[in-house]
């Protein structure tokens, strides 16, 4: 029986902050979607790149790209709803 070849990971999206990264990773792990996070933090520059580019990136296989983007979109939509509700108060 031949071994299944894993498809290579591709960059799927840029993440805005650590909370978004942790929540997305939790959701993807729950649904057993392979992924990898890469932070832009660099101790030599004390996080300077994170201020300019965002928190980091999410990588995953091409065939899971849409699932990752859908999960990220849902998280961002929920965050906007919470922010809008706080603004109305």
């Amino acid at each position: 029986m031949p071994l299944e070849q894993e498809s290579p990971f591709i960059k799927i999206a840029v993440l805005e902050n650590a909370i978004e990264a942790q929540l997305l990773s939790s959701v993807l792990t729950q649904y057993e979607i392979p992924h990898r996070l890469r932070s832009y933090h660099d101790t030599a520059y004390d996080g300077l790149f994170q201020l300019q580019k965002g928190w980091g990136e999410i990588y995953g296989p091409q065939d899971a790209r849409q699932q990752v983007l859908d999960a990220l979109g849902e998280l961002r939509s929920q965050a906007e709803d919470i922010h809008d509700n706080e603004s109305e108060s």
Side-chain angles (χ1 to χ4, degrees):
M1 179 184 292
L3 294 174
E4 290 184 31
Q5 295 229 354
E6 266 189 46
S7 57
F9 279 21
I10 61 167
K11 178 181 169 184
I12 296 176
V14 174
L15 303 173
E16 296 175 1
N17 56 57
I19 295 171
E20 181 178 80
Q22 289 174 341
L23 288 172
L24 181 59
S25 182
S26 294
V27 168
L28 297 177
T29 299
Q30 179 181 356
Y31 289 106
E32 298 179 353
I33 298 171
H35 63 283
R36 183 173 54 227
L37 297 174
R38 180 180 164 259
S39 170
Y40 290 145
H41 187 79
D42 184 345
T43 54
Y45 295 103
D46 195 30
L48 178 65
F49 293 119
Q50 287 180 314
L51 292 174
Q52 296 174 348
K53 295 183 176 182
W55 180 87
E57 303 167 336
I58 181 100
Y59 289 82
Q62 176 66 37
D63 58 348
R65 181 178 185 276
Q66 193 57 49
Q67 292 173 294
V68 173
L69 290 174
D70 290 345
L72 180 58
E74 182 64 29
L75 286 174
R76 288 180 175 171
S77 173
Q78 290 175 4
E80 277 184 29
D81 290 346
I82 291 171
H83 180 69
D84 289 346
N85 288 339
E86 288 176 353
S87 298
E88 292 174 1
S89 299

